[in-house]
Amino acid sequence: MKTDVVIIGAGLAGLSCGLELAEKGRDVVLFEARDWVGGRTASWDENGMLVESGFHRYIGYYQALPHVLARAGVQLNDIIWWEERVEIRTPQHEEPGLFGIAPVHGPLKMIASLIGNNHLLSPLDKASLIPFFVAGYTDFFLNPNKLDYISVYDYAKKYGVRRAAIDYLLVPFSTGLFFRPVKDYSALAFFGLFAPGLTRFYKMRIGAFLGGMTEVMCAPIARAIERRGGKVYTGTPVQRLLAENGQVVGVMLKDEAVRANQVVLATSMDKAQQLLKPLFSEHRWFKPFLNLPTMPAVTIQIDLDRPALPTDRTTFGPGTCLASFSEQSRTTFKHVPGRLSIILTPPERFLNMRPEEVLATVVQDAKKLGMDIKPHIRDFRVISHHADFYSFSPTGYHQQRPGQQTPVQGLKLAGDYTKQPYFATMEGAVVSGLDAAKAILEGR
Ligand SMILES: Cc1cc2nc3c(=O)[nH]c(=O)nc-3n(C[C@H](O)[C@H](O)[C@H](O)COP(=O)(O)OP(=O)(O)OC[C@H]3O[C@@H](n4cnc5c(N)ncnc54)[C@H](O)[C@@H]3O)c2cc1C
């Protein structure tokens, strides 16, 4: 087979790249290893239970993703359920804290949460966060790399953030989002994730998906690519890159070579490293990326005979293994009476645990947060991501992330691990895919 552009991986990066190129009249073929599209934003049937890669929240300031969706014929408000508040539950407090996160869409709730929640954070605790955020955003804009060598915890200590504010606010907004313990979570990642919200604060709010993400978001993008003449093959893993005279000229499938003018490597990070290593392990440009460590993620998804919580809402469980979670039976998984999707921390603890043990640990910790789910469990699945993310440890790793444009002719990179301003998020994946497409369209 011969084509113009081969894209390896049909996650959001590969799909966005494919849509952009197909719209511009380029011949694109996407090869996806799994039997469904979506990658880390996929939903699928896992031995009789509908699961997702992990519960996701759309952040209101995203720009590239909604644009891609609109071009695929998907209107954001048809697939997103907007939340105006998030909840923080702790083993130490009977009453949860409720925090408004939508300054324009829910200003009163935001103000109420700033002056309220005193059972969780005293006025002094809240005030102790001010110097931390002022210094953090000053450093973020003036000297970002410095922030990648210090953990959120150490940075908070340096600026005098009080214990309760660390435990009940900074932990949810770091560990709760990217699973790593606060002492091993780069301050750069912490401030960077919220930075785009500073200039687009009026857009700030978060949303749950109204349906499995493959169904409502990724499959429509794949169909839009095919409507424009592109091809998307699922269940078709790329085995290796084909190279001639230091140039990438195609890919090798199980028993077929596919030649192409351009190859976009849009897999998750460890898979990209595996495909690049045989060819470029000694290449100066690739070396930092090939040495960039990964980090895992583990989620558990539980079907229940009734909702675990009165509202489907993003909830954090600092002080327990439930980094973040949500009831989803009224939003994403309406076909079951109750559904909890939980992201676990620290992921390494759960990676090689038997699923029954994971469930038992979660049931115990859920009880500490006021949720007695044991009698109501119908089914559950543990979904692990062994090495999909680049590491958020505070060791300067951010600088090892590669750009989309490589020095090798015929090869572009896309994926949330590549350098773009949105870190490891859906928006970051889309931006990287569009950047790779742009480089191809501009003949770079
Ligand atoms: C539990 C969890 C929660 C998250 N929560 C959020 C959130 O709330 N908000 C947010 O914005 N982001 C969130 N993210 C991050 C977001 O999902 C990712 O940043 C984004 O989906 C990455 O997209 P990608 O296209 O770069 O990579 P992926 O989605 O990983 O896509 C890569 C694709 O390449 C395929 N592939 C790999 N090897 C091969 C091969 N050899 N041949 C062919 N195909 C191959 C894979 O199967 C996969 O489909 C979360 C992620 C996880 C895991």
Side-chain angles (χ1 to χ4, degrees):
M1 195 203 284
K2 175 144 181 44
T3 185
D4 183 11
V5 184
V6 160
I7 299 172
I8 313 173
L12 278 176
L15 289 169
S16 309
C17 184
L19 183 60
E20 177 76 12
L21 291 170
E23 270 189 352
K24 299 282 161 24
R26 305 291 290 255
D27 277 336
V28 286
V29 179
L30 276 90
F31 293 119
E32 166 54 48
R34 304 184 83 173
D35 291 335
W36 48 85
V37 297
R40 268 168 287 161
T41 50
S43 46
W44 65 94
D45 187 308
E46 178 84 8
N47 302 323
M49 181 171 153
L50 196 56
V51 297
E52 58 186 357
S53 87
F55 89 92
H56 275 61
R57 286 297 177 264
Y58 177 96
I59 306 180
Y61 62 65
Y62 289 170
Q63 281 178 290
L65 175 56
H67 194 52
V68 163
L69 287 172
R71 284 151 66 191
V74 178
Q75 294 314 312
L76 198 60
N77 284 330
D78 292 342
I79 66 162
I80 294 292
W81 172 259
W82 294 107
E83 295 177 2
E84 285 167 5
R85 291 190 292 188
V86 298
E87 188 167 321
I88 296 178
R89 290 183 167 234
T90 88
Q92 293 80 20
H93 304 88
E94 250 176 51
E95 198 192 325
L98 275 175
F99 290 82
I101 33 112
V104 169
H105 297 280
L108 295 181
K109 287 178 181 142
M110 186 132 181
I111 292 165
S113 65
L114 288 176
I115 50 176
N117 288 309
N118 290 324
H119 62 297
L120 212 63
L121 297 173
S122 70
L124 274 181
D125 295 331
K126 291 177 205 164
S128 77
L129 288 160
I130 296 170
F132 165 81
F133 278 108
V134 170
Y137 278 107
T138 308
D139 277 342
F140 181 79
F141 290 110
L142 297 183
N143 196 359
N145 288 336
K146 176 179 140 192
L147 284 181
D148 205 21
Y149 287 91
I150 183 165
S151 70
V152 188
Y153 180 80
D154 287 339
Y155 201 80
K157 283 284 181 206
K158 185 173 163 188
Y159 286 96
V161 178
R162 289 163 63 103
R163 182 84 234 177
I166 295 179
D167 288 349
Y168 307 137
L169 206 91
L170 298 190
V171 169
F173 288 107
S174 53
T175 307
L177 302 183
F178 276 100
F179 352 118
R180 296 228 64 74
V182 72
K183 290 182 180 169
D184 189 31
Y185 193 107
S186 156
L188 179 72
F190 177 84
F191 290 108
L193 272 174
F194 303 108
L198 293 180
T199 47
R200 288 171 59 75
F201 76 95
Y202 55 94
K203 288 276 183 188
M204 191 56 206
R205 54 183 171 160
I206 62 172
F209 284 86
L210 288 166
M213 288 176 287
T214 289
E215 179 199 334
V216 302
M217 176 169 72
C218 297
I221 306 177
R223 287 197 292 272
I225 295 172
E226 294 189 316
R227 279 200 300 277
R228 289 159 178 80
K231 294 201 169 58
V232 182
Y233 295 99
T234 51
T236 313
V238 165
Q239 309 290 332
R240 62 186 171 87
L241 299 174
L242 293 176
E244 281 170 13
N245 306 321
Q247 178 177 337
V248 170
V249 293
V251 299
M252 191 67 209
L253 305 179
K254 191 163 165 256
D255 35 33
E256 187 185 356
V258 181
R259 292 185 73 88
N261 301 322
Q262 292 282 342
V263 172
V264 181
L265 182 47
T267 67
S268 53
M269 197 183 120
D270 62 324
K271 300 294 185 312
Q273 289 174 324
Q274 284 163 25
L275 286 167
L276 291 169
K277 253 181 199 150
L279 294 174
F280 303 113
S281 61
E282 294 309 315
H283 195 297
R284 265 187 65 206
W285 191 88
F286 289 96
K287 249 185 177 171
F289 169 54
L290 294 177
N291 290 319
L292 175 55
T294 56
M295 66 178 188
V298 181
T299 86
I300 185 167
Q301 296 162 42
I302 309 173
D303 279 353
L304 302 156
D305 65 12
R306 62 169 206 194
L309 292 166
T311 314
D312 287 20
R313 168 188 287 153
T314 305
T315 311
F316 300 99
T320 71
C321 69
L322 287 73
S324 52
F325 56 99
S326 179
E327 169 64 46
Q328 295 180 312
S329 55
R330 305 164 189 100
T331 46
T332 313
F333 294 105
K334 290 185 187 166
H335 65 289
V336 275
R339 167 73 166 224
L340 265 183
S341 192
I342 304 166
I343 301 182
L344 299 172
T345 187
E348 293 80 1
R349 177 179 170 204
F350 297 98
L351 214 46
N352 298 312
M353 223 185 229
R354 285 187 306 111
E356 294 72 22
E357 267 183 85
V358 177
L359 181 67
T361 312
V362 166
V363 164
Q364 250 180 12
D365 274 15
K367 205 161 191 179
K368 293 183 199 160
L369 299 178
M371 295 182 296
D372 188 11
I373 56 174
K374 195 171 178 184
H376 303 287
I377 297 172
R378 280 182 166 184
D379 208 349
F380 74 101
R381 296 286 182 277
V382 175
I383 305 293
S384 300
H385 303 264
H386 283 256
D388 282 351
F389 290 95
Y390 70 91
S391 172
F392 271 33
S393 288
T395 21
Y397 290 146
H398 182 66
Q399 290 176 68
Q400 289 175 235
R401 296 168 68 197
Q404 292 76 31
Q405 169 90 46
T406 80
V408 172
Q409 215 180 324
L411 178 65
K412 304 286 180 286
L413 304 180
D416 61 353
Y417 67 88
T418 59
K419 257 197 187 142
Q420 34 70 26
Y422 296 93
F423 294 81
T425 60
M426 297 185 281
E427 180 75 356
V430 171
V431 166
S432 75
L434 296 177
D435 282 352
K438 189 165 177 245
I440 291 174
L441 292 167
E442 289 175 355
R444 282 186 270 143

